[in-house]
Amino acid sequence: MLTSIQDKTVIVTGGSKGIGKGIASVFARQGANVMIAARGETAAKETVDEINAAGGTAKYYLCDVADWEQVQALVEHTENTFGPVDILCANAGTFPQKKIVDLSPKEWDDIMSTNLKSTFLCVKACIPHFEKLGKGRVVITSSITGPITGYPGWAHYGATKAGQLGFMKTAAMELARYNTTINAVMPGNIVTEGLASLGEDYLNSMAAAIPLKRLGAVEDIANAALFFASDEAAYITGQQMVIDGGQTLPECAEAVDEI
Ligand code: NAP
């Protein structure tokens, strides 16, 4: 058990489903008090009930992370419920697939807001808490798509995920004065509600292209996030960790067949 997580106040954006749900569950198992932020109530309530039934402590707050007023309200509500925010997991994101030729300027702006601007808003809203506590942790959920790889239909998405890492480098310097670290996990293909919506063919072809021959589990990402959030990771900031079962390693498709 990472004892440094016990009783910490943690916000997990997009914590109602998928990777965020995995992060919320793993942090709650370590004794954290977890505030899940999402827009849809049904999944948020189900996840919170599941975590609490397993002996953890979680609550939810309905919030669109792209909206500054709502993010401020989330952080204020979290402080009133559990105390100042120790750890922010900026995880919420969407990945609608659409090629550039079909993508509208509005769709571009929407994904920038949900995936990238939200990261800035959530970090900004938590800074007064980190300052008050004299320490803090931020863990961003980026992706391999954008910073490392490309895939037709995800130019806009990839730009947000690479943008998160660009934001992080300077944020790490600015947050250092609050003794706060900020790092990013970069998942490969992880089995979530969002990924499942891409269809069976996509999932099968992806699994075949991964050296470890399976898609990732949400816990694979959550455990890395937990490490970045721990006291044990106090001297790591502005860094990123790829968690992809080796997906980005092969020089060509045939290389995987040689395994
Ligand atoms: P998911 O299963 O679709 O879950 C997305 C979560 O984000 C839900 O809780 C959703 O709840 C929430 N959310 C979406 N838009 C929001 C908004 N505007 N405000 C607040 N909450 C919002 O997705 P996932 O696969 O777990 O992905 C989570 C993160 O991991 C994303 O940042 C994604 O880019 C990244 N990622 C995923 C994979 C993968 O293979 N799954 C790989 C690389 C990176 P509501 O819809 O109810 O708001």
Side-chain angles (χ1 to χ4, degrees):
M1 190 182 212
L2 288 167
T3 51
S4 59
I5 300 297
Q6 179 87 36
D7 297 326
K8 290 276 161 66
T9 300
V10 184
I11 291 178
V12 184
T13 69
S16 65
K17 296 182 204 157
I19 291 174
K21 179 176 178 178
I23 293 173
S25 306
V26 164
F27 276 67
R29 239 178 272 148
Q30 299 291 327
N33 299 317
V34 180
M35 182 63 71
I36 284 171
R39 294 162 305 173
E41 184 153 28
T42 309
K45 187 174 180 328
E46 264 172 34
T47 298
V48 160
D49 288 348
E50 237 177 77
I51 291 174
N52 292 335
T57 303
K59 290 188 182 296
Y60 67 86
Y61 186 80
L62 298 183
C63 162
D64 181 345
V65 289
D67 183 288
W68 176 227
E69 268 78 41
Q70 292 185 42
V71 168
Q72 286 176 291
L74 160 70
V75 172
E76 192 185 334
H77 176 77
T78 303
E79 179 170 32
N80 293 338
T81 309
F82 292 134
V85 179
D86 297 280
I87 301 164
L88 164 68
C89 295
N91 165 83
T94 55
F95 34 95
Q97 192 175 13
K98 200 173 256 195
K99 291 190 177 147
I100 298 164
V101 68
D102 299 318
L103 187 72
S104 72
K106 172 157 188 334
E107 286 168 323
W108 170 274
D109 287 345
D110 286 348
I111 198 152
M112 291 295 144
S113 296
T114 300
N115 292 6
L116 181 55
K117 183 179 165 196
S118 66
T119 307
F120 152 65
L121 296 181
C122 291
V123 168
K124 183 175 171 64
C126 287
I127 286 177
H129 295 231
F130 302 147
E131 187 170 17
K132 189 161 34 182
L133 292 168
K135 63 177 183 172
R137 292 280 184 276
V138 179
V139 184
I140 295 171
T141 307
S142 172
S143 177
I144 57 168
T145 310
I148 302 181
T149 61
Y151 199 107
W154 278 314
H156 58 333
Y157 171 76
T160 66
K161 295 287 134 179
Q164 286 179 305
L165 299 184
F167 169 79
M168 176 183 75
K169 301 291 174 192
T170 292
M173 297 177 70
E174 294 187 13
L175 293 179
R177 66 155 52 207
Y178 313 116
N179 190 27
T180 294
T181 67
I182 177 167
N183 294 288
V185 290
M186 297 167 68
N189 281 268
I190 310 301
V191 182
T192 64
E193 290 87 335
L195 199 80
S197 70
L198 300 174
E200 199 66 19
D201 287 350
Y202 174 89
L203 300 182
N204 290 337
S205 71
M206 272 301 159
I210 295 170
L212 287 177
K213 292 291 174 208
R214 67 168 176 90
L215 300 176
V218 293
E219 289 77 13
D220 292 321
I221 307 306
N223 288 327
L226 183 68
F227 172 65
F228 277 143
S230 68
D231 280 0
E232 286 80 356
Y235 204 52
I236 304 171
T237 195
Q239 302 306 310
Q240 57 237 28
M241 190 193 292
V242 173
I243 305 137
D244 71 347
Q247 186 183 331
T248 49
L249 296 175
E251 289 186 18
C252 61
E254 289 70 31
V256 183
D257 301 335
E258 303 267 334
I259 293 171

